[in-house]
Amino acid sequence: MNKKTDLSISYRKKLLKPIKRAVVKVGSGVLTAKNGLNRRVISALTNDICGLRKKGIEIILVSSGAIASGLKITGLTKRPVSISQQQAIAAVGQSSLMMAYENAFGRHGQKVAQILITRDDLNHRSRYLNARNTIFTLLSWKIIPIINENDTVVVDEIKFGDNDNLSAMVTNMTESHLLINLTDIDGLFDRDPRTHKDARLINVVEKVNREIMSYAGSIPGFLGTGGMAGKIKAVHKATLGGVPAIIANGRKQGILREIFTGREEGTLFLPQDITLPCRKHWIAFTKSSKGEIIIDSGAGEALKKRGKSLLPSGIKEVRGKFSLGDSVILLNENNQELAVGMVNYNSGDIKKIMGLKSTEIESRLGYKHDDEVIHRDNLVITDGMNDGDDVCLLRE
Ligand code: GLU
Protein backbone atom coordinates (compact mmCIF):
# COMPACT_ATOMS: atom_id res chain seq x y z
CA MET A 1 0.00 0.00 0.00
CA ASN A 2 1.24 3.48 -0.78
CA LYS A 3 1.16 5.03 2.67
CA LYS A 4 1.65 8.58 1.39
CA THR A 5 -1.37 8.66 -0.88
CA ASP A 6 -3.66 6.46 1.16
CA LEU A 7 -4.58 8.94 3.86
CA SER A 8 -8.22 8.07 3.88
CA ILE A 9 -10.31 7.62 6.99
CA SER A 10 -10.29 3.87 6.37
CA TYR A 11 -6.47 3.81 6.50
CA ARG A 12 -6.39 5.53 9.90
CA LYS A 13 -9.27 3.37 11.05
CA LYS A 14 -7.37 0.24 10.13
CA LEU A 15 -4.24 1.48 11.87
CA LEU A 16 -6.10 2.43 15.04
CA LYS A 17 -8.47 -0.53 15.25
CA PRO A 18 -6.11 -3.00 16.98
CA ILE A 19 -5.03 -0.43 19.57
CA LYS A 20 -5.79 -1.56 23.09
CA ARG A 21 -3.40 0.61 25.09
CA ALA A 22 -2.41 4.22 24.43
CA VAL A 23 -0.35 6.90 26.12
CA VAL A 24 -1.95 10.34 26.03
CA LYS A 25 0.34 13.28 26.81
CA VAL A 26 -1.33 16.57 27.66
CA GLY A 27 0.67 19.80 27.69
CA SER A 28 0.45 22.72 30.10
CA GLY A 29 -0.83 24.98 27.32
CA VAL A 30 -3.85 22.70 26.91
CA LEU A 31 -4.59 22.33 30.61
CA THR A 32 -4.25 25.86 31.85
CA ALA A 33 -6.15 29.04 31.13
CA LYS A 34 -5.85 32.63 32.38
CA ASN A 35 -7.01 31.80 35.87
CA GLY A 36 -5.32 28.46 36.40
CA LEU A 37 -6.42 24.97 35.43
CA ASN A 38 -8.91 24.82 32.57
CA ARG A 39 -11.69 22.66 34.07
CA ARG A 40 -13.66 22.62 30.81
CA VAL A 41 -10.74 21.02 28.94
CA ILE A 42 -10.04 18.59 31.78
CA SER A 43 -13.68 17.56 31.88
CA ALA A 44 -13.81 17.04 28.08
CA LEU A 45 -10.64 14.94 28.09
CA THR A 46 -11.91 12.93 31.02
CA ASN A 47 -15.18 12.20 29.19
CA ASP A 48 -13.25 10.98 26.15
CA ILE A 49 -10.88 8.83 28.18
CA CYS A 50 -13.75 7.20 30.09
CA GLY A 51 -15.50 6.53 26.77
CA LEU A 52 -12.38 4.82 25.45
CA ARG A 53 -12.02 2.80 28.65
CA LYS A 54 -15.58 1.51 28.14
CA LYS A 55 -14.49 0.28 24.71
CA GLY A 56 -11.69 -1.67 26.37
CA ILE A 57 -8.87 0.74 25.50
CA GLU A 58 -6.41 1.31 28.34
CA ILE A 59 -5.16 4.86 28.69
CA ILE A 60 -2.04 6.05 30.49
CA LEU A 61 -1.99 9.82 30.96
CA VAL A 62 1.23 11.81 30.98
CA SER A 63 0.14 15.20 32.25
CA SER A 64 2.05 18.45 32.52
CA GLY A 65 0.51 21.46 34.19
CA ALA A 66 2.00 21.32 37.69
CA ILE A 67 4.20 24.37 37.27
CA ALA A 68 1.66 26.34 35.21
CA SER A 69 -1.01 25.63 37.81
CA GLY A 70 1.32 26.33 40.76
CA LEU A 71 2.21 29.72 39.29
CA LYS A 72 -1.44 30.78 39.29
CA ILE A 73 -2.04 29.52 42.82
CA THR A 74 1.01 31.27 44.27
CA GLY A 75 0.17 34.44 42.35
CA LEU A 76 3.49 34.63 40.52
CA THR A 77 3.32 36.10 37.06
CA LYS A 78 6.34 34.32 35.64
CA ARG A 79 8.45 31.26 36.29
CA PRO A 80 11.09 32.08 38.93
CA VAL A 81 14.75 31.51 38.11
CA SER A 82 15.63 29.89 41.42
CA ILE A 83 15.46 26.09 41.28
CA SER A 84 14.06 25.71 44.79
CA GLN A 85 11.26 28.16 43.99
CA GLN A 86 10.42 26.30 40.77
CA GLN A 87 10.37 23.04 42.73
CA ALA A 88 8.13 24.58 45.38
CA ILE A 89 5.73 25.84 42.71
CA ALA A 90 5.56 22.39 41.16
CA ALA A 91 4.72 20.95 44.58
CA VAL A 92 1.84 23.39 44.95
CA GLY A 93 0.57 22.83 41.42
CA GLN A 94 0.88 19.05 41.30
CA SER A 95 -1.62 18.49 44.09
CA SER A 96 -4.18 20.84 42.54
CA LEU A 97 -3.66 19.13 39.17
CA MET A 98 -4.34 15.74 40.71
CA MET A 99 -7.34 17.06 42.60
CA ALA A 100 -8.81 18.37 39.33
CA TYR A 101 -8.31 14.97 37.68
CA GLU A 102 -9.72 13.08 40.67
CA ASN A 103 -12.84 15.22 40.64
CA ALA A 104 -13.35 15.00 36.89
CA PHE A 105 -12.72 11.23 36.67
CA GLY A 106 -14.65 10.68 39.90
CA ARG A 107 -17.83 11.94 38.20
CA HIS A 108 -17.54 8.85 35.97
CA GLY A 109 -16.69 6.56 38.88
CA GLN A 110 -13.21 6.22 37.43
CA LYS A 111 -10.24 5.91 39.83
CA VAL A 112 -6.86 7.47 39.10
CA ALA A 113 -3.33 7.15 40.51
CA GLN A 114 -0.45 9.61 40.59
CA ILE A 115 3.01 8.50 39.45
CA LEU A 116 5.92 10.92 39.72
CA ILE A 117 9.19 9.84 38.16
CA THR A 118 12.61 11.21 37.31
CA ARG A 119 14.94 10.31 34.48
CA ASP A 120 17.23 8.80 37.06
CA ASP A 121 14.48 6.32 38.00
CA LEU A 122 14.25 5.15 34.40
CA ASN A 123 18.04 4.96 33.95
CA HIS A 124 18.24 2.06 36.37
CA ARG A 125 16.81 -1.09 34.90
CA SER A 126 15.42 -2.34 38.23
CA ARG A 127 13.66 0.95 39.06
CA TYR A 128 12.42 1.14 35.48
CA LEU A 129 10.93 -2.34 35.79
CA ASN A 130 9.39 -1.43 39.16
CA ALA A 131 7.64 1.59 37.63
CA ARG A 132 6.46 -0.58 34.76
CA ASN A 133 5.08 -3.25 37.11
CA THR A 134 3.23 -0.60 39.13
CA ILE A 135 1.61 0.77 35.98
CA PHE A 136 0.63 -2.72 34.81
CA THR A 137 -0.90 -3.46 38.21
CA LEU A 138 -2.92 -0.22 38.12
CA LEU A 139 -4.15 -1.02 34.61
CA SER A 140 -5.19 -4.49 35.69
CA TRP A 141 -7.24 -2.80 38.45
CA LYS A 142 -8.77 -0.51 35.81
CA ILE A 143 -7.20 2.54 37.42
CA ILE A 144 -5.83 5.28 35.17
CA PRO A 145 -2.17 6.12 35.88
CA ILE A 146 -1.42 9.84 35.65
CA ILE A 147 2.30 10.41 35.24
CA ASN A 148 4.36 13.57 35.57
CA GLU A 149 8.02 14.27 36.06
CA ASN A 150 8.85 14.59 39.75
CA ASP A 151 9.57 18.30 39.39
CA THR A 152 10.12 18.85 43.10
CA VAL A 153 13.34 16.81 43.16
CA VAL A 154 14.84 17.11 39.68
CA VAL A 155 17.49 19.56 38.64
CA ASP A 156 18.47 20.19 35.02
CA GLU A 157 21.12 17.45 34.80
CA ILE A 158 18.64 14.69 35.55
CA LYS A 159 15.63 16.04 33.72
CA PHE A 160 13.82 14.23 30.93
CA GLY A 161 14.04 17.47 29.02
CA ASP A 162 10.29 17.72 28.80
CA ASN A 163 7.17 15.63 29.17
CA ASP A 164 7.16 14.98 25.40
CA ASN A 165 10.31 12.95 25.87
CA LEU A 166 8.93 11.30 29.02
CA SER A 167 5.77 10.27 27.15
CA ALA A 168 7.83 8.51 24.44
CA MET A 169 9.73 6.60 27.11
CA VAL A 170 6.49 5.67 28.86
CA THR A 171 5.03 4.42 25.56
CA ASN A 172 7.92 2.02 25.19
CA MET A 173 8.03 1.08 28.88
CA THR A 174 4.34 0.16 28.97
CA GLU A 175 4.35 -1.55 25.56
CA SER A 176 1.59 0.80 24.48
CA HIS A 177 0.31 0.68 20.92
CA LEU A 178 -0.07 4.41 20.30
CA LEU A 179 1.23 7.74 21.57
CA ILE A 180 -1.03 10.80 21.36
CA ASN A 181 0.56 14.15 22.11
CA LEU A 182 -2.09 16.78 22.80
CA THR A 183 -0.95 20.35 22.41
CA ASP A 184 -2.48 23.75 21.68
CA ILE A 185 -2.05 23.62 17.92
CA ASP A 186 -3.78 21.35 15.36
CA GLY A 187 -0.62 19.40 14.53
CA LEU A 188 2.53 19.98 12.49
CA PHE A 189 2.26 22.79 9.93
CA ASP A 190 4.67 23.54 7.11
CA ARG A 191 5.02 27.08 8.48
CA ASP A 192 3.85 29.08 11.46
CA PRO A 193 0.02 29.18 11.25
CA ARG A 194 -0.08 32.28 13.49
CA THR A 195 1.66 34.36 10.87
CA HIS A 196 0.91 32.47 7.63
CA LYS A 197 -2.71 32.13 6.59
CA ASP A 198 -1.72 29.57 3.94
CA ALA A 199 0.14 27.32 6.42
CA ARG A 200 -0.64 23.70 5.57
CA LEU A 201 -1.31 21.02 8.22
CA ILE A 202 0.77 17.92 7.53
CA ASN A 203 -1.60 14.95 7.81
CA VAL A 204 0.93 12.18 7.82
CA VAL A 205 4.68 11.84 8.33
CA GLU A 206 6.20 8.63 7.04
CA LYS A 207 9.66 9.36 8.39
CA VAL A 208 11.15 12.24 10.35
CA ASN A 209 13.86 13.91 8.25
CA ARG A 210 15.45 17.32 7.78
CA GLU A 211 12.42 18.67 5.92
CA ILE A 212 10.05 17.70 8.71
CA MET A 213 12.39 19.14 11.33
CA SER A 214 12.59 22.39 9.37
CA TYR A 215 8.80 22.74 9.61
CA ALA A 216 9.09 22.36 13.37
CA GLY A 217 11.79 25.01 13.51
CA SER A 218 9.43 27.49 11.89
CA ILE A 219 6.97 27.28 14.79
CA PRO A 220 8.91 28.46 17.81
CA GLY A 221 7.90 29.80 21.10
CA PHE A 222 4.48 28.86 22.25
CA LEU A 223 4.36 25.13 22.67
CA GLY A 224 5.66 24.57 26.17
CA THR A 225 9.09 23.35 27.22
CA GLY A 226 10.16 21.36 24.16
CA GLY A 227 8.43 23.29 21.36
CA MET A 228 7.36 21.49 18.19
CA ALA A 229 10.90 20.18 17.57
CA GLY A 230 10.87 18.45 20.97
CA LYS A 231 7.50 16.90 20.19
CA ILE A 232 8.69 15.55 16.86
CA LYS A 233 11.87 14.07 18.32
CA ALA A 234 9.77 12.42 21.00
CA VAL A 235 7.12 10.95 18.71
CA HIS A 236 9.89 9.80 16.38
CA LYS A 237 11.41 7.81 19.25
CA ALA A 238 8.02 6.21 19.87
CA THR A 239 7.63 5.26 16.19
CA LEU A 240 11.03 3.53 16.36
CA GLY A 241 9.40 1.20 18.85
CA GLY A 242 7.00 0.19 16.08
CA VAL A 243 3.98 2.24 17.13
CA PRO A 244 2.17 5.15 15.46
CA ALA A 245 1.98 8.55 17.11
CA ILE A 246 -0.33 11.53 16.66
CA ILE A 247 0.20 15.19 17.53
CA ALA A 248 -3.19 16.90 17.80
CA ASN A 249 -5.06 19.80 19.37
CA GLY A 250 -6.05 18.99 22.95
CA ARG A 251 -8.36 21.98 23.18
CA LYS A 252 -10.73 20.55 20.59
CA GLN A 253 -13.79 19.08 22.26
CA GLY A 254 -13.94 15.31 21.77
CA ILE A 255 -10.48 15.12 20.21
CA LEU A 256 -9.58 11.67 21.57
CA ARG A 257 -12.91 10.20 20.54
CA GLU A 258 -12.49 11.65 17.05
CA ILE A 259 -8.96 10.30 16.74
CA PHE A 260 -10.14 6.80 17.59
CA THR A 261 -12.92 6.93 14.99
CA GLY A 262 -10.13 7.28 12.43
CA ARG A 263 -10.89 10.90 11.60
CA GLU A 264 -8.00 12.85 10.17
CA GLU A 265 -7.17 14.85 13.26
CA GLY A 266 -3.67 16.21 13.81
CA THR A 267 -0.50 14.81 12.30
CA LEU A 268 -0.03 11.06 12.19
CA PHE A 269 3.54 9.72 12.44
CA LEU A 270 3.77 6.23 11.03
CA PRO A 271 5.52 3.38 12.84
CA GLN A 272 9.06 2.84 11.50
CA ASP A 273 10.35 -0.24 9.71
CA ILE A 274 13.30 -0.48 12.07
CA THR A 275 11.55 -1.35 15.26
CA LEU A 276 13.35 -2.11 18.45
CA PRO A 277 12.32 -4.56 21.14
CA CYS A 278 11.52 -2.85 24.46
CA ARG A 279 14.86 -3.46 26.16
CA LYS A 280 16.91 -2.28 23.19
CA HIS A 281 14.67 0.80 22.89
CA TRP A 282 15.42 1.48 26.56
CA ILE A 283 19.20 1.20 25.96
CA ALA A 284 19.03 3.52 22.95
CA PHE A 285 16.57 6.17 24.08
CA THR A 286 15.76 6.03 27.79
CA LYS A 287 19.03 5.30 29.52
CA SER A 288 21.17 8.47 29.45
CA SER A 289 24.46 8.10 27.60
CA LYS A 290 27.48 8.93 29.70
CA GLY A 291 30.26 9.12 27.11
CA GLU A 292 31.47 8.33 23.60
CA ILE A 293 33.72 5.72 22.05
CA ILE A 294 35.29 6.28 18.64
CA ILE A 295 35.72 3.08 16.64
CA ASP A 296 37.60 2.28 13.42
CA SER A 297 35.88 1.44 10.14
CA GLY A 298 36.54 -2.32 10.50
CA ALA A 299 34.76 -2.41 13.85
CA GLY A 300 31.95 -0.25 12.44
CA GLU A 301 31.41 -2.73 9.58
CA ALA A 302 31.51 -5.70 11.96
CA LEU A 303 28.82 -4.13 14.16
CA LYS A 304 26.59 -2.93 11.36
CA LYS A 305 26.90 -5.60 8.71
CA ARG A 306 27.90 -8.71 10.60
CA GLY A 307 26.00 -8.35 13.85
CA LYS A 308 29.17 -8.55 15.97
CA SER A 309 30.00 -7.25 19.44
CA LEU A 310 32.49 -4.42 20.08
CA LEU A 311 35.98 -5.71 20.91
CA PRO A 312 38.83 -3.62 22.33
CA SER A 313 40.83 -3.95 19.10
CA GLY A 314 38.47 -1.66 17.13
CA ILE A 315 38.51 1.21 19.65
CA LYS A 316 40.42 4.40 18.75
CA GLU A 317 39.40 6.86 21.45
CA VAL A 318 37.34 7.10 24.64
CA ARG A 319 35.59 10.34 25.58
CA GLY A 320 34.10 11.11 28.98
CA LYS A 321 34.14 9.28 32.29
CA PHE A 322 31.79 6.36 32.70
CA SER A 323 31.35 3.18 34.71
CA LEU A 324 30.67 -0.46 33.93
CA GLY A 325 27.03 -0.81 32.85
CA ASP A 326 26.72 2.78 31.60
CA SER A 327 25.38 3.55 28.17
CA VAL A 328 27.73 5.17 25.62
CA ILE A 329 27.43 6.38 22.03
CA LEU A 330 29.66 4.77 19.40
CA LEU A 331 30.93 7.13 16.70
CA ASN A 332 32.97 6.54 13.55
CA GLU A 333 36.17 8.47 12.92
CA ASN A 334 34.12 11.24 11.26
CA ASN A 335 32.17 11.69 14.49
CA GLN A 336 28.98 10.20 13.06
CA GLU A 337 26.83 8.17 15.40
CA LEU A 338 26.69 4.45 14.62
CA ALA A 339 25.31 2.80 17.72
CA VAL A 340 24.57 2.96 21.44
CA GLY A 341 25.52 0.30 23.92
CA MET A 342 26.16 -0.65 27.54
CA VAL A 343 29.82 -1.15 28.44
CA ASN A 344 31.44 -4.08 30.26
CA TYR A 345 34.39 -1.95 31.46
CA ASN A 346 34.76 1.55 32.87
CA SER A 347 36.22 4.36 30.76
CA GLY A 348 39.66 4.23 32.44
CA ASP A 349 40.05 0.51 31.75
CA ILE A 350 38.80 0.83 28.16
CA LYS A 351 41.52 3.43 27.57
CA LYS A 352 44.08 0.88 28.80
CA ILE A 353 42.85 -1.95 26.56
CA MET A 354 41.85 -0.10 23.40
CA GLY A 355 43.60 -1.42 20.32
CA LEU A 356 44.50 -4.71 22.08
CA LYS A 357 43.29 -8.23 21.35
CA SER A 358 40.74 -9.69 23.81
CA THR A 359 43.36 -12.27 24.85
CA GLU A 360 45.52 -9.41 26.14
CA ILE A 361 42.83 -7.89 28.43
CA GLU A 362 43.71 -9.88 31.53
CA SER A 363 47.45 -9.25 31.40
CA ARG A 364 46.81 -5.53 30.90
CA LEU A 365 44.14 -5.02 33.56
CA GLY A 366 44.88 -7.86 35.94
CA TYR A 367 41.30 -9.11 35.50
CA LYS A 368 38.85 -9.83 32.70
CA HIS A 369 35.04 -9.54 32.77
CA ASP A 370 34.36 -10.33 29.15
CA ASP A 371 36.04 -10.50 25.75
CA GLU A 372 33.74 -7.76 24.50
CA VAL A 373 33.70 -4.12 25.54
CA ILE A 374 30.03 -4.07 24.48
CA HIS A 375 28.19 -7.32 23.95
CA ARG A 376 25.88 -7.52 20.96
CA ASP A 377 22.86 -8.08 23.22
CA ASN A 378 23.50 -4.69 24.81
CA LEU A 379 24.09 -2.84 21.55
CA VAL A 380 21.69 -0.95 19.30
CA ILE A 381 22.64 0.22 15.81
CA THR A 382 21.21 3.72 15.50
CA ASP A 383 22.79 4.54 12.13
CA GLY A 384 20.01 4.51 9.55
CA MET A 385 17.23 5.42 11.95
CA ASN A 386 16.95 8.79 10.25
CA ASP A 387 17.45 9.91 6.70
CA GLY A 388 21.11 10.52 5.86
CA ASP A 389 23.23 11.53 8.78
CA ASP A 390 20.40 12.85 10.92
CA VAL A 391 20.84 10.39 13.77
CA CYS A 392 21.51 13.35 16.04
CA LEU A 393 17.79 14.14 15.81
CA LEU A 394 17.31 11.43 18.35
CA ARG A 395 19.56 12.96 20.98
CA GLU A 396 18.63 15.72 23.43
N1 GLU B 1 6.50 18.62 34.52
C1 GLU B 1 6.17 19.99 34.16
C2 GLU B 1 4.85 20.41 34.80
O1 GLU B 1 4.05 19.57 35.18
C3 GLU B 1 6.01 20.19 32.69
C4 GLU B 1 7.12 19.78 31.81
C5 GLU B 1 6.69 19.81 30.34
O2 GLU B 1 5.60 20.23 30.03
O3 GLU B 1 7.44 19.41 29.49
O4 GLU B 1 4.59 21.57 34.89
Side-chain angles (χ1 to χ4, degrees), residues 23-92:
V23 171
V24 175
K25 186 260 167 177
V26 199
S28 304
V30 174
L31 292 168
T32 46
K34 257 201 213 116
N35 302 318
L37 288 170
N38 189 333
R39 316 260 160 195
R40 187 191 60 79
V41 168
I42 292 178
S43 154
L45 285 174
T46 309
N47 289 346
D48 276 9
I49 291 173
C50 291
L52 294 171
R53 286 255 5 140
K54 282 203 187 100
K55 290 189 179 143
I57 299 168
E58 293 174 331
I59 300 288
I60 297 155
L61 253 185
V62 173
S63 179
S64 304
I67 293 179
S69 161
L71 278 174
K72 303 285 179 202
I73 297 170
T74 49
L76 292 168
T77 46
K78 63 176 192 327
R79 213 176 158 125
V81 186
S82 128
I83 304 246
S84 57
Q85 283 184 14
Q86 283 185 31
Q87 293 176 330
I89 283 165
V92 173

Side-chain angles (χ1 to χ4, degrees), residues 7-240:
L7 305 176
S8 60
I9 189 160
S10 61
Y11 174 65
R12 280 214 188 192
K13 233 184 194 159
K14 220 152 101 200
L15 191 73
L16 296 172
K17 198 166 186 256
I19 286 165
K20 289 281 165 254
R21 180 180 299 154
V23 171
V24 175
K25 186 260 167 177
V26 199
S28 304
V30 174
L31 292 168
T32 46
K34 257 201 213 116
N35 302 318
L37 288 170
N38 189 333
R39 316 260 160 195
R40 187 191 60 79
V41 168
I42 292 178
S43 154
L45 285 174
T46 309
N47 289 346
D48 276 9
I49 291 173
C50 291
L52 294 171
R53 286 255 5 140
K54 282 203 187 100
K55 290 189 179 143
I57 299 168
E58 293 174 331
I59 300 288
I60 297 155
L61 253 185
V62 173
S63 179
S64 304
I67 293 179
S69 161
L71 278 174
K72 303 285 179 202
I73 297 170
T74 49
L76 292 168
T77 46
K78 63 176 192 327
R79 213 176 158 125
V81 186
S82 128
I83 304 246
S84 57
Q85 283 184 14
Q86 283 185 31
Q87 293 176 330
I89 283 165
V92 173
Q94 180 64 30
S95 64
S96 73
L97 181 66
M98 278 313 293
M99 207 197 298
Y101 277 125
E102 271 192 5
N103 288 338
F105 278 110
R107 285 197 282 277
H108 299 265
Q110 174 65 54
K111 296 188 179 72
V112 296
Q114 168 183 265
I115 299 185
L116 298 176
I117 39 182
T118 65
R119 175 131 202 187
D120 208 33
D121 294 326
L122 300 192
N123 264 333
H124 293 88
R125 191 72 187 159
S126 58
R127 276 148 71 187
Y128 172 92
L129 292 174
N130 279 341
R132 176 180 139 111
N133 288 341
T134 304
I135 294 171
F136 285 164
T137 304
L138 290 167
L139 291 175
S140 74
W141 290 344
K142 302 199 181 329
I143 294 174
I144 294 179
I146 303 180
I147 305 173
N148 196 358
E149 182 159 14
N150 195 349
D151 295 309
T152 57
V153 297
V154 290
V155 286
D156 277 350
E157 305 81 79
I158 55 161
K159 263 183 118 44
F160 287 105
D162 50 63
N163 274 2
D164 299 315
N165 199 17
L166 169 61
S167 67
M169 295 175 186
V170 169
T171 303
N172 177 57
M173 173 167 84
T174 57
E175 294 171 48
S176 291
H177 311 138
L178 171 70
L179 168 62
I180 300 175
N181 187 316
L182 294 179
T183 182
D184 46 7
I185 186 171
D186 285 346
L188 174 66
F189 285 84
D190 62 351
R191 63 195 75 185
D192 191 340
R194 293 168 302 178
T195 47
H196 294 84
K197 286 254 163 336
D198 58 344
R200 187 174 58 90
L201 177 70
I202 314 289
N203 291 115
V204 67
V205 172
E206 280 193 65
K207 194 174 173 77
V208 172
N209 54 24
R210 281 184 198 279
E211 190 191 353
I212 297 297
M213 288 310 287
S214 75
Y215 297 158
S218 71
I219 312 170
F222 71 124
L223 284 167
T225 324
M228 186 52 91
K231 290 181 200 309
I232 292 178
K233 281 187 189 182
V235 295
H236 183 45
K237 280 182 201 174
T239 63
L240 285 165

